[in-house]
Amino acid sequence: MRGLKEAVHARLDARLNPDSRAPLAVALSGGSDSLALTMMAAAWAERHHRRLLVLTVDHGLRPESAGWTALCAGHARRLGADFQALCWRGDKPLTGLPAAARAARHALLADAARQAGASVILMGHTADDLAESAAMRAAGATTPDAREWSPSPVWPQGRGVFLLRPLLDQGRAVLRAWLAAQGETWIEDPANADLRFARARARAAGPSAAAASRQG
């Protein structure tokens, strides 16, 4: 675990301009991956005198979501960051919900970042997400791999906005151990274990299934 924060900061150093006065945005769901990233990003931003803007999307899909947003706001305050809650409003589709939620989330994040003057949004995807995507493709899905540096996938909201994922070479277990060592807790979204969804099935299958899919 020693050196984890330094490794992530090295990724940020390689991609970001430390002298920029633009705010740096980070997407925080309250889960372990995004919480670890937000904490590391806050330390990096403080060192470089950059303003950190924490963005949390309430998808309105679960009764706990308002409470989760409040927890994220508390994390932002504790870390000395600005905070903005974003809500996915309107009717939700009966099919294709994960894809629709992902598109709505990206649009809300990109809009908020642009309005705040931020051109980069940090996102907490990990090596586990890459393994899960591989397992999903092996099962017939077309899910692409997350990339470390990529333009926002939505238009027109995402014009001029880039996504940076500095945790792609880190495992979720390592991040959780890092958080636990600091006495931190995180949100466990029940949707991550809902086997109606392909990513939840890939996650439940575990690392061995993902490794087998890559070998095949």
Side-chain angles (χ1 to χ4, degrees):
M1 286 180 291
R2 184 178 180 182
L4 173 61
K5 184 167 72 172
E6 290 75 15
V8 173
H9 282 190
R11 295 278 185 177
L12 300 181
D13 289 337
R15 292 290 188 180
L16 301 176
N17 177 5
D19 298 321
S20 173
R21 299 280 67 89
L24 176 63
V26 58
L28 174 63
S29 69
S32 58
D33 306 344
S34 65
L35 177 58
L37 175 59
T38 299
M39 292 174 63
M40 295 181 210
W44 186 92
E46 182 179 17
R47 177 156 59 89
H48 293 290
H49 307 289
R50 293 280 299 268
R51 182 165 67 92
L52 186 68
L53 172 62
V54 175
L55 301 173
T56 295
V57 177
D58 181 348
H59 295 86
L61 297 175
R62 298 193 62 87
E64 311 98 320
S65 62
W68 292 344
T69 299
L71 286 173
C72 291
H75 287 308
R77 284 194 301 271
R78 174 168 59 90
L79 296 170
D82 295 334
F83 179 78
Q84 187 174 352
L86 310 169
C87 296
W88 182 25
R89 303 188 188 282
D91 295 334
K92 308 301 190 291
L94 297 178
T95 60
L97 183 60
R102 182 168 57 252
R105 178 167 62 252
H106 277 296
L108 289 165
L109 291 170
D111 253 343
R114 289 182 63 253
Q115 290 173 15
S119 60
V120 177
I121 304 172
L122 304 180
M123 304 195 78
H125 296 85
T126 69
D128 291 75
D129 290 294
L130 295 179
E132 290 159 12
S133 294
M136 291 165 68
R137 289 194 297 273
T142 57
T143 307
D145 278 339
R147 291 185 289 161
E148 180 180 277
W149 181 253
S150 62
S152 170
V154 290
W155 188 267
Q157 299 93 332
R159 61 188 185 276
V161 175
F162 278 77
L163 308 181
L164 175 56
R165 300 176 174 95
L167 302 181
L168 287 179
D169 58 349
Q170 304 294 339
R172 186 170 294 126
V174 172
L175 296 171
R176 291 185 170 193
W178 184 82
L179 288 170
Q182 299 177 75
E184 297 287 343
T185 59
W186 52 87
I187 293 166
E188 293 282 6
D189 186 347
N192 291 331
D194 189 335
L195 297 182
R196 291 176 299 170
F197 303 129
R199 185 165 293 275
R201 293 194 296 273
R203 182 173 296 194
S208 58
S213 71
R214 289 195 295 271
Q215 293 168 3

